[in-house]
Amino acid sequence: MKIHIDIDCFFVSATRINHPELMGKTVAIGGRSDTKIFTKDAKKQTVNFENSGSFVPTFYKTYEEKDDDIDAFKDENGKIRGILTTSSYEARAFGVKTAMRIQDALLLCPQLIIKAPNMTLYQKLSHELHEFLQTKIPLVEQASIDEFYCDLSGWIEDKDVNNFIQELKLEIKKVIKLPVSIGAAKTRYIAKLATTSAKPYGCKIVYPLEIDSFIQNIPVEEFAGIGKSMKMKLDSAQIHTLGDLKVRQGTLESWGPYAKELYARVSGTADAPIQTNTKRKSIGISRTFDKLYDRDELKRRVHVLVRHLSYAILKLDVIPTVFHLSISYELNQKSHKNISLAEIFTEKKFDSLCLKLFEEADNQKRLHVIRLSINCSSFTRDSKKELSLIGFHDEQKMQKLTKSTQLLREKYGIDKLKWGSEL
């Protein structure tokens, strides 16, 4: 059997380890986008290569106790800003939800205790749990900072799975001090659904003959792999639950290979192996900020984002060959540009390239900008591309300068050495 392990309210649960007085109280973790990277106040910036994703940024500011003060969430006008990344079950009883504005959450639950994210602590606990699981189970895959898949096949007999996961849940709470929920099934996809059903702090096994009854009333959007566009398509076909989907095999398979695979996953007939090692396929940085019109200031912020992202790329020791820059404007308008370029990576070239992409992407010049994003992918270690030899020797010289700059930043900090164009 496969099992799926999910840490309950991870960020809150982690915070409660250091602050046991928060047990049983309405607690939420929230914060503002770190726009200080664009100011002279930028300091203690940290880069994270493990488990980045939703609410787990690649770049973040090292946590300080003063970040928990409610004043830290206020802007210069005294307005509370930021969104919640997670909340305790006690807070959820008041209607507090993930991705809700902090201001709205406080209206629903005035007694809500807001704590700032402590990414260093989360990564430490996630790593400890991963190592602990590896001592218990041969095949462990870390899917995200708070999710793990494990394969018990040939290790634990099916009849013993229930006792195993119940004991595992208790051991994790004792050793790592984190509450987890565990789902088990023949496939990883059904196991993940079982975990959702088991929350909070529970265990659930779904045997093959129980799949149809188990999925009958589960909304389609709760299944991993069904996003907004697929949900809209399913809604248009009057498919609202996984039970509805299960009896519409012909409809799903007529929509193409992806929908056909989706049907097999929901039915419990398709699975994927546990991957103990996964390679990073891309890396990016983005920041949301108050409406900004000044194009010169926006270009300066592109330089700042490039500096941070260049630092991460060099730390990874990869050469990206696909570059993407996107702009989000007011009035829900968006624009983006991308380019493929197979050449030696240097910070100077990267900076010029991103500035060019910004100028080409900025097609709504009458609108204010609220977000900038830069993403790099298709690393040469993974792609079939070969590097261009045009100007190869000149690029090698610039690469030496880039590496020297990198060494200084690794020693003194990302913000200690900046481009003149940032000032």
Side-chain angles (χ1 to χ4, degrees), residues 132-180:
F132 176 78
L133 290 173
Q134 288 176 317
T135 67
K136 299 290 181 180
I137 307 165
L139 292 178
V140 180
E141 174 186 332
Q142 181 153 17
S144 68
I145 194 169
D146 60 351
E147 283 186 284
F148 300 84
Y149 288 97
C150 308
D151 193 344
L152 304 184
S153 304
W155 182 250
I156 304 295
E157 293 187 24
D158 288 358
K159 64 182 178 62
D160 298 323
V161 167
N162 184 57
N163 287 338
F164 178 80
I165 61 177
Q166 293 285 355
E167 291 175 5
L168 181 64
K169 180 190 73 170
L170 295 174
E171 282 190 89
I172 291 171
K173 188 68 170 68
K174 180 181 179 180
V175 177
I176 313 296
K177 297 182 173 59
L178 289 172
V180 301

Side-chain angles (χ1 to χ4, degrees), residues 11-261:
F11 295 176
V12 170
S13 297
T15 302
R16 283 172 166 169
I17 293 176
N18 290 341
H19 298 277
E21 71 276 10
L22 297 178
M23 292 297 297
K25 295 185 179 180
T26 53
V27 183
I29 307 299
R32 300 178 61 188
S33 178
D34 181 19
T35 55
K36 283 189 176 180
I37 67 168
F38 299 125
T39 72
K40 293 180 180 179
D41 296 328
K43 60 180 180 178
K44 296 185 178 180
Q45 293 288 322
T46 303
V47 61
N48 157 51
F49 296 126
E50 298 181 7
N51 312 312
S52 58
S54 298
F55 304 121
V56 186
T58 301
F59 301 91
Y60 60 89
K61 175 183 172 293
T62 304
Y63 169 82
E64 297 176 300
E65 284 288 342
K66 65 180 180 180
D67 295 334
D68 286 335
D69 194 302
I70 192 65
D71 289 336
F73 302 103
K74 294 179 180 178
D75 62 15
E76 57 276 7
N77 298 316
K79 183 178 179 181
I80 296 175
R81 306 293 293 271
I83 63 170
L84 300 183
T85 56
T86 192
S87 59
S88 65
Y89 285 104
E90 294 86 352
R92 295 178 193 184
F94 289 84
V96 176
K97 299 178 180 178
T98 297
M100 177 179 282
R101 294 194 310 167
I102 293 176
Q103 192 172 28
D104 295 337
L106 288 171
L107 290 175
L108 291 172
C109 182
Q111 72 273 31
L112 185 66
I113 300 170
I114 312 285
K115 306 291 281 186
N118 185 347
M119 292 298 166
T120 303
L121 173 63
Y122 307 153
Q123 293 289 352
K124 174 180 174 291
L125 290 171
S126 178
H127 184 68
E128 287 178 0
L129 178 53
H130 191 189
E131 287 193 330
F132 176 78
L133 290 173
Q134 288 176 317
T135 67
K136 299 290 181 180
I137 307 165
L139 292 178
V140 180
E141 174 186 332
Q142 181 153 17
S144 68
I145 194 169
D146 60 351
E147 283 186 284
F148 300 84
Y149 288 97
C150 308
D151 193 344
L152 304 184
S153 304
W155 182 250
I156 304 295
E157 293 187 24
D158 288 358
K159 64 182 178 62
D160 298 323
V161 167
N162 184 57
N163 287 338
F164 178 80
I165 61 177
Q166 293 285 355
E167 291 175 5
L168 181 64
K169 180 190 73 170
L170 295 174
E171 282 190 89
I172 291 171
K173 188 68 170 68
K174 180 181 179 180
V175 177
I176 313 296
K177 297 182 173 59
L178 289 172
V180 301
S181 294
I182 305 177
K186 283 296 183 181
T187 72
R188 59 188 293 152
Y189 308 111
I190 302 300
K192 183 177 174 66
L193 273 181
T195 306
T196 303
S197 175
K199 284 181 171 289
Y201 198 53
C203 296
K204 172 73 175 177
I205 301 177
V206 179
Y207 295 99
L209 294 178
E210 299 173 340
I211 291 177
D212 286 1
S213 60
F214 173 67
I215 68 173
Q216 184 62 38
N217 298 313
I218 297 178
V220 292
E221 61 268 24
E222 290 189 16
F223 193 85
I226 297 182
K228 289 183 179 179
S229 58
M230 178 56 75
K231 183 183 182 304
M232 289 176 61
K233 194 168 186 177
L234 291 168
D235 284 344
S236 67
Q238 298 301 307
I239 298 174
H240 306 296
T241 68
L242 296 179
D244 295 337
L245 189 152
K246 180 67 168 57
V247 298
R248 298 285 295 277
Q249 181 175 2
T251 302
L252 268 292
E253 293 187 349
S254 70
W255 290 350
Y258 179 77
K260 183 177 181 180
E261 172 66 14

Side-chain angles (χ1 to χ4, degrees), residues 10 23 56 91 102 109 139 158 211 230 233 245 262-263 265-266 270 286 326 331 334 339 380 388 391 408:
F10 179 34
M23 292 297 297
V56 186
I102 293 176
C109 182
L139 292 178
D158 288 358
I211 291 177
M230 178 56 75
K233 194 168 186 177
L245 189 152
L262 179 63
Y263 179 84
R265 292 180 182 183
V266 171
S286 62
S326 63
L331 305 179
K334 297 180 180 180
I339 188 173
T380 50
S388 170
L408 288 172

